Amino acid sequence: MIDLENVCYAYENEIALRYVNLHIEEGESVIIQGPNGCGKSTLIRLLNGIIFPSEGKYSYKGNEITEKVLKNNSFAKWFHQQVGYVFQNADTQLFCSSVEEEIAFGPVQMGLPQEVIAQRTEDCIRLFHLEKLRNRPPYHLSGGEKRKVSLACILSMNPEVLVLDEPLAGLDEKTQEMLINFLKEFHKSGKTLIIITHNKQLAKTLGTRFVYMNEEHELVEQ
Ligand SMILES: Nc1ncnc2c1ncn2[C@@H]1O[C@H](COP(=O)(O)OP(=O)(O)OP(=O)(O)O)[C@@H](O)[C@H]1O
Ligand SMILES: [Mg+2]
């Protein structure tokens, strides 16, 4: 499903990925670990088509993901619906004037019928217990509330692959538990998970495969 072949990436002078090879099959739950600055967030920004390899090749379901193919609107729509990405910093992801609107945004973009949009929005609001926040502007919420809203936004698009960067950071215990249970169900339903985490408990509970990035920005299977 996901194929990275000898992928390199550098920010101006800063190397972040060095000849990364990674093949992920549908239904895997891959945990990515490694020290600060090794390139984990860079790797998943690339998986989500936000940045592109400086060298090497990234394919999703046999389609090479390049800046050029993502300029094609219908392909970009399909791809971003397939691969859902929750940023490490939720602030960069929220821009609508209410939580409700924010959660409906993806389904609206996908051109789904009004009833489906309303249903999905309600389901996600309920799942994350966001009822009291539904009319508030997302950028005035607390850090943990923002995280819940960004997760709800991605899940409302019903992605095939869910890519999470430190999903438990900043969440209270009850919300962490709820999210872990949700991710277990998501994986059980045959979907693919890619998770960056320093949390050993989360890794153990959800991982079916473990990869490690080292300080040389190389990826190693464990
Ligand atoms: N926008 C940027 N411009 C220049 N260098 C960057 C940029 N973003 C990241 N880097 C550098 O690229 C390398 C990889 O960064 P990345 O954010 O992928 O690390 P990470 O493994 O996610 O770290 P952390 O565990 O701290 O989140 C680091 O050396 C970092 O300083
Ligand atoms: Mg990171």
Side-chain angles (χ1 to χ4, degrees):
M1 178 183 229
I2 285 173
D3 289 295
L4 296 183
E5 277 173 43
N6 289 322
V7 166
C8 299
Y9 185 82
Y11 298 95
E12 282 141 38
N13 300 321
E14 207 59 54
I15 291 179
L17 298 176
R18 207 185 286 271
Y19 298 102
V20 168
N21 285 293
L22 179 64
H23 303 277
I24 299 175
E25 301 288 338
E26 215 165 324
E28 283 195 281
S29 177
V30 183
I31 306 288
I32 303 175
Q33 289 168 310
N36 295 135
C38 67
K40 305 179 298 296
S41 295
T42 304
L43 175 64
I44 65 173
R45 246 174 254 143
L46 191 132
L47 291 178
N48 203 250
I50 293 169
I51 56 173
F52 304 92
S54 329
E55 242 184 84
K57 199 167 120 178
Y58 165 34
S59 308
Y60 178 78
K61 290 192 171 171
N63 304 283
E64 188 173 355
I65 304 303
T66 60
E67 202 162 2
K68 187 156 168 252
V69 304
L70 287 183
K71 288 218 169 94
N72 176 327
N73 266 339
S74 60
F75 182 83
K77 246 186 204 173
W78 172 79
F79 176 70
H80 290 301
Q81 187 273 318
Q82 290 268 314
V83 185
Y85 171 32
V86 182
F87 290 63
Q88 190 167 20
N89 175 1
D91 273 329
T92 52
Q93 208 161 6
L94 304 167
F95 51 87
C96 291
S97 59
S98 76
V99 165
E100 199 176 77
E101 219 181 293
E102 191 79 56
I103 296 172
F105 182 81
V108 168
Q109 289 300 304
M110 286 160 67
L112 294 173
Q114 200 56 49
E115 319 82 76
V116 180
I117 296 173
Q119 185 63 54
R120 286 207 188 169
T121 307
E122 282 315 307
D123 288 349
C124 289
I125 285 178
R126 213 166 315 125
L127 181 67
F128 289 93
H129 304 295
L130 296 168
E131 289 88 350
K132 285 191 187 136
L133 304 178
R134 65 189 306 148
N135 297 316
R136 301 260 312 269
Y139 38 86
H140 284 166
L141 299 176
S142 78
E145 289 169 342
K146 279 182 193 163
R147 275 208 87 86
K148 289 190 220 178
V149 174
S150 13
L151 280 161
C153 290
I154 299 303
L155 293 173
S156 68
M157 292 171 72
N158 191 24
E160 285 305 307
V161 184
L162 191 54
V163 188
L164 299 161
D165 199 341
E166 287 295 348
L168 301 184
L171 296 180
D172 62 45
E173 217 167 295
K174 208 172 105 209
T175 310
Q176 290 197 13
E177 228 168 81
M178 181 279 294
L179 183 59
I180 293 176
N181 285 330
F182 170 81
L183 294 174
K184 272 191 209 159
E185 290 304 315
F186 183 85
H187 182 228
K188 250 200 234 156
S189 74
K191 300 209 176 188
T192 309
L193 278 173
I194 302 172
I195 305 175
I196 293 179
T197 186
H198 295 293
N199 184 304
K200 292 208 171 74
Q201 178 68 25
L202 177 69
K204 224 165 78 190
T205 316
L206 282 173
T208 58
R209 180 173 162 199
F210 298 85
V211 298
Y212 184 80
M213 290 196 64
N214 63 24
E215 278 169 353
E216 302 305 313
H217 313 290
E218 297 159 334
L219 187 136
V220 195
E221 293 273 347
Q222 278 182 329

